[in-house]
Structure formats: structure tokens, C-alpha cells
Amino acid sequence: MRTSLGLFVLVGLLLTSVSVSTAADSGLVPAAKKDRAKTPVVVTAEQEAEVLAFLRQHHTELANLLGHLQRNRPAEYASAVRDIWHASERLRQVEKGDNDRYELELQSWVIQSKIQLLAVRLAMNDSPGLRQELRQLLADQFDLKVRLAQIDRERTAERLRKLDEQLQRLTDQRAEILDREFLAVTRSSERLKVKRKDLLEAKPARAKASP
């Protein structure tokens, strides 16, 4: 891909939408998004290092472009680093709870970023080859969405199955469960009664012992 300052400007304008579009699908777009342009973005050296490591592992093209953007458009660079860092953190949280879903969401994020970069390339130099590549990326992204929806459906079905089992158990064992709960409450009441009796008996003894 031929590089130019105009390309980096467009990349700077579109990079943040890579993470925003992914977050929007999960309801994670910050409420203060409209105010971002008014306040200079500050990112830490640690965040920069984490973003570059993340991109070098999963999306080298974006890592290279981010380096060029740092030299040519520092404000857009900082904004892009901040948003990509948030996206990587969200993915890390997904990985902790569900590695299978993490792999799919990571692929989806990478494909979305490639779609955004391809949109930049189309803006610079439209061609049938780029359009075909875009169609393929959109198809891959769509298939990932279907797979994620299937995972959600399967897990929801499993939760419903367990709830059905629980409801059936409660229905079948209603009398036994009520008897156990009644016994637990009455035993607790008996223990309280004994403690109350002991306290009442202890009061006169303390009164006699006092001068």
C-alpha cells in the first residue's frame, strides 16, 4: 500500500471507529464520547506498550500504520491508542471468562479493523480488487457474528435446561422441601428460646453478685 500524509490523516480519522464499532455491539460505548474531541487525549507509556504488543501479535499492518500516525498526527495517534487499549482490555476480560468466545471476538475485532483500513484504501484508490477484498471481509465478519450468536443460543438453552430441572425438582419435592424448611426454622427458634432462658436466669445471679 502506498503511504502518504493524506492516508495517515484518513487512518487517524477512522482508527477510533475500529474499537468503537466493536464496543457498540456490546453496549460498551462510553457515554462521554461526544466530549472527546474537546479534551486532549492523554495515554500512558504502559498503555502505548500494551497496544503495540497487542497489534504486533494480532494485526501487524495496523501496528505499522500506528507508528506512522504517531509521527504525522500525534493527536489522532493518542486517540487511537486510547480506544484500541480499551478494546484490548475488553477482549482480555472476555478471555478470562470464556476463551472460546474470546477467540471469536478477537477475530471479529481484527476483521473490523481491516474493514476500516480497507475503507481508507478505497477512499485513496478505488479498484475492483479492493471491493472484492471488502466483500470477503464482510462475509467473514458476518460468519463470525453467526457463530457468536450460536454460542449465545447454546448457552442460553443450557441455562434454560437447568432452570427447567430446578423447577421440576421444586415441583416434585414441594412437600419434602417445605418440611425441611419448617424443621430448620423451628430448630432455630428452639435454640433462641434456650438462649433467652439462659439470659433470664443469668440476670438474677449477676444482681446478687453485685454489691
Side-chain angles (χ1 to χ4, degrees):
M1 180 174 60
R2 183 182 177 183
T3 57
S4 70
L5 180 58
L7 172 62
F8 299 134
V9 172
L10 289 175
V11 169
L13 293 174
L14 288 177
L15 266 175
T16 55
S17 63
V18 172
S19 58
V20 171
S21 60
T22 303
D25 290 338
S26 305
L28 297 174
V29 178
K33 180 67 182 175
K34 293 180 180 179
D35 297 330
R36 287 182 174 179
K38 300 177 182 178
T39 306
V41 175
V42 178
V43 294
T44 66
E46 182 180 2
Q47 287 175 325
E48 287 187 82
E50 289 178 4
V51 164
L52 289 176
F54 173 76
L55 293 180
R56 284 168 184 156
Q57 181 179 359
H58 302 295
H59 197 345
T60 54
E61 181 187 11
L62 190 54
N64 294 334
L65 285 172
L66 201 62
H68 289 293
L69 194 66
Q70 182 180 20
R71 291 188 291 273
N72 292 282
R73 307 284 293 187
E76 284 83 353
Y77 167 80
S79 181
V81 168
R82 186 264 322 277
D83 284 352
I84 295 172
W85 183 82
H86 282 304
S88 66
E89 284 295 298
R90 188 187 72 82
L91 288 168
R92 188 173 297 145
Q93 292 302 314
V94 173
E95 184 180 20
K96 289 180 180 178
D98 189 340
N99 190 63
D100 291 338
R101 186 177 186 88
Y102 163 76
E103 292 295 336
L104 293 177
E105 291 212 16
L106 174 61
Q107 292 178 46
S108 181
W109 185 88
V110 171
I111 288 175
Q112 178 63 27
S113 70
K114 289 181 177 180
I115 288 171
Q116 295 293 342
L117 293 178
L118 193 55
V120 174
R121 295 170 65 186
L122 281 168
M124 299 296 294
N125 183 23
D126 199 341
S127 72
L130 290 179
R131 288 179 174 269
Q132 181 58 37
E133 186 177 350
L134 175 60
R135 284 188 177 276
Q136 184 59 55
L137 286 172
L138 289 170
D140 293 342
Q141 186 184 56
F142 181 87
D143 292 341
L144 283 171
K145 288 179 180 179
V146 171
R147 290 171 65 187
L148 285 166
Q150 287 173 337
I151 288 177
D152 288 341
R153 184 184 183 280
E154 289 169 2
R155 292 180 180 175
T156 299
E158 177 64 15
R159 287 196 294 271
L160 287 173
R161 184 188 67 78
K162 291 181 179 179
L163 281 172
D164 287 341
E165 290 179 354
Q166 181 184 7
L167 285 170
Q168 189 63 50
R169 181 181 65 83
L170 290 172
T171 301
D172 294 344
Q173 301 178 16
R174 181 178 185 276
E176 294 90 335
I177 293 171
L178 285 174
D179 284 344
R180 287 198 300 269
E181 291 179 348
F182 177 81
L183 183 60
V185 173
T186 53
R187 283 178 175 175
S188 176
S189 178
E190 289 297 328
R191 287 193 295 270
L192 289 173
K193 186 186 296 184
V194 171
K195 287 182 179 180
R196 180 174 178 274
K197 181 181 178 182
D198 291 342
L199 288 172
L200 291 175
E201 291 176 350
K203 283 183 178 180
R206 286 198 299 270
K208 290 179 180 179
S210 62

